[in-house]
Amino acid sequence: MDAVRWTLWGLVAVLALVGVNVLWVLGVRWWYRLRTTPPERLKVRCPDGWELTVHERRAPHRRFAEPVLLCHGLAANRCTFDFEPPYSIAHYLAEAGFDCFSVEWRGISYSERPPKGRRWPDVTVDELISQDGPALIERVLARTGAKRAFWVGHSLGGLVGYAVAQGPAGTKLAGLLALGSPVFFPPDALLRRLIHMGARLSWPWGFRNEWLSQTLAPFLGHVTLPLSDVIINPKHILPPIQRKVYANMMSSMSSNVLRQFQDWIDHDAFRSFDGSVDWRAGLAKLSLPVMVMGGSSDRLASSKNLRAQYELVGSTDKMLHIFGCDRGDKMDYGHGDLLFGTGAPFEVYPEIRDWLAAHATALPALPSGPTSG
């Protein structure tokens, strides 16, 4: 009887802790919610039946014909780009005259629900490239009436863009900007251990890390999490912004995507899940305008990595920009600082805007209203 009693008490304690954690996370989501006008949500159906959501933020005064697709990276969502000003590229570019569409890949947030007979843990990067990317391009072109669109991708979002540009949908892109995208995967023992651990923990239902991120979010800025310097330069992101980012931006990772990253890191490759398509080799065939951007202290996409991919890109219209103290910037940029660093709104965002504007089709200026005599 004592054993049964202690087992019951243990079960009650576990359920109580779970209940407290649920209330804690719900409170964190509410307290750290984004206090800005939300973008409009549009549905996008892929050829294989998966329904995506893209978040539209239109320009108050549209100055350029081409819309901008803003594509997030691994373990993130649309808040990568559509956050609270001044740390929001979507707001910044919309004010500059671009219609902006922040993507959420299949299995992420509002694009989470799979069609019948499909499982989210089975999703690979291949499907983001063959299904999601082309469908999203078609949707924003139909929405805006434009002939081509710009692709701006952070980390994995840039890699997907590189691969999409190599396929039929590439002709519908006016330019591609890859921000902190690691085309090369040289040996890094720490990153390899982290990806291997994530791949093991993701079986069989994927690695659902957003709950953990939301649980820990209120402590960030007061304490520094182990290994956080792999993702960001903690000194470059204000503590309140760190807390809000972890409460809103982090998302789950599918088992197969993590397995694919494991393959890339183990073999220094950027290729399809079955190894039959080498997207890195395909960069030499690109002809659209390309901007390669990154941070000087980014552990995932190092300066050496960025220079190597820049040299590999075949386009004659290409640029390389590495942010850091060496070029007079406020601080050396890590992976996430490119978006949320204190210097990002006046060092990174203007460079993105200016490159897009230089390659965009300007629309006729709106006629001014009548003047009083």
Side-chain angles (χ1 to χ4, degrees):
M1 289 297 294
D2 287 343
V4 172
R5 186 181 298 111
W6 282 110
T7 299
L8 290 174
W9 275 113
L11 180 60
V12 169
V14 169
L15 292 175
L17 287 173
V18 169
V20 169
N21 183 240
V22 169
L23 293 174
W24 173 267
V25 167
L26 291 175
V28 167
R29 290 176 178 175
W30 179 84
W31 184 260
Y32 292 105
R33 68 194 184 278
L34 299 182
R35 291 171 171 84
T36 185
T37 303
E40 184 176 351
R41 294 198 295 266
L42 306 176
K43 294 299 181 182
V44 182
R45 185 169 294 276
C46 297
D48 67 354
W50 203 303
E51 190 173 72
L52 310 177
T53 299
V54 63
H55 302 260
E56 176 187 45
R57 191 169 293 280
R58 302 299 286 264
H61 301 288
R62 187 178 175 191
R63 296 178 54 216
F64 303 101
E66 293 83 5
V68 181
L69 270 169
L70 299 168
C71 305
H72 66 80
L74 184 67
N77 59 28
R78 63 100 178 168
C79 295
T80 299
F81 291 104
D82 199 312
F83 202 66
E84 283 184 346
Y87 301 103
S88 175
I89 290 179
H91 284 83
Y92 185 90
L93 293 179
E95 288 297 325
F98 290 97
D99 286 340
C100 294
F101 296 81
S102 298
V103 166
E104 283 185 325
W105 303 120
R106 58 180 59 203
I108 303 299
S109 297
Y110 290 98
S111 302
E112 183 175 15
R113 188 179 298 277
K116 187 176 181 180
R118 301 294 302 280
R119 296 176 65 252
W120 168 72
D122 298 332
V123 168
T124 67
V125 177
D126 301 33
E127 291 160 301
L128 310 187
I129 293 165
S130 65
Q131 297 284 327
D132 296 14
L136 288 160
I137 292 171
E138 290 292 345
R139 183 69 171 94
V140 301
L141 293 184
R143 179 71 169 175
T144 60
K147 295 180 179 179
R148 296 186 300 168
F150 286 108
W151 186 293
V152 176
H154 178 247
S155 195
L156 175 62
L159 296 181
V160 173
Y162 275 138
V164 168
Q166 296 171 35
T171 59
K172 298 176 181 179
L173 292 177
L176 187 154
L177 192 152
L179 188 65
S181 299
V183 167
F184 292 87
F185 296 87
D188 186 309
L190 176 58
L191 291 178
R192 185 176 182 180
R193 286 197 297 270
L194 290 174
I195 287 293
H196 277 251
M197 183 184 303
R200 287 194 293 269
L201 292 174
S202 70
W203 186 89
W205 305 115
F207 190 66
R208 300 187 177 274
N209 58 305
E210 65 264 49
W211 194 270
L212 178 62
S213 299
Q214 291 162 358
T215 298
L216 297 176
F219 304 104
L220 299 179
H222 305 294
V223 297
T224 300
L225 295 180
L227 308 176
S228 60
D229 62 326
V230 174
I231 304 299
I232 60 171
N233 176 356
K235 298 178 181 178
H236 199 188
I237 301 182
L238 297 173
I241 300 303
Q242 290 186 44
R243 293 190 278 273
K244 189 157 281 193
V245 165
Y246 271 76
N248 290 279
M249 197 194 79
M250 308 306 290
S251 293
S252 299
M253 296 171 279
S254 82
S255 304
N256 276 350
V257 165
L258 284 168
R259 288 176 58 197
Q260 200 160 0
F261 263 85
Q262 181 178 321
D263 169 59
W264 295 352
I265 289 175
D266 285 348
H267 301 99
D268 185 18
F270 171 36
R271 60 190 182 186
S272 60
F273 192 74
D274 63 4
S276 64
V277 182
D278 186 345
W279 294 308
R280 187 162 69 195
L283 296 183
K285 300 177 182 178
L286 293 181
S287 58
L288 79 169
V290 173
M291 167 65 95
V292 178
M293 282 187 171
S296 56
S297 64
D298 191 336
R299 289 279 300 275
L300 299 177
S302 67
S303 299
K304 181 179 179 181
N305 189 325
L306 298 173
R307 292 189 179 95
Q309 68 179 269
Y310 168 78
E311 293 296 334
L312 189 58
V313 169
S315 174
T316 56
D317 184 352
K318 61 181 181 178
M319 293 183 67
L320 172 66
H321 200 119
I322 300 174
F323 297 91
C325 293
D326 287 347
R327 65 175 293 275
D329 290 322
K330 181 177 182 179
M331 199 169 290
D332 284 317
Y333 280 77
H335 199 62
D337 318 3
L338 296 163
L339 304 161
F340 300 107
T342 55
F346 58 87
E347 291 176 339
V348 180
Y349 296 5
E351 296 288 348
I352 295 174
R353 176 203 61 204
D354 292 349
W355 185 82
L356 292 172
H359 292 84
T361 304
L363 295 174
L366 295 174
S368 58
T371 57
S372 57

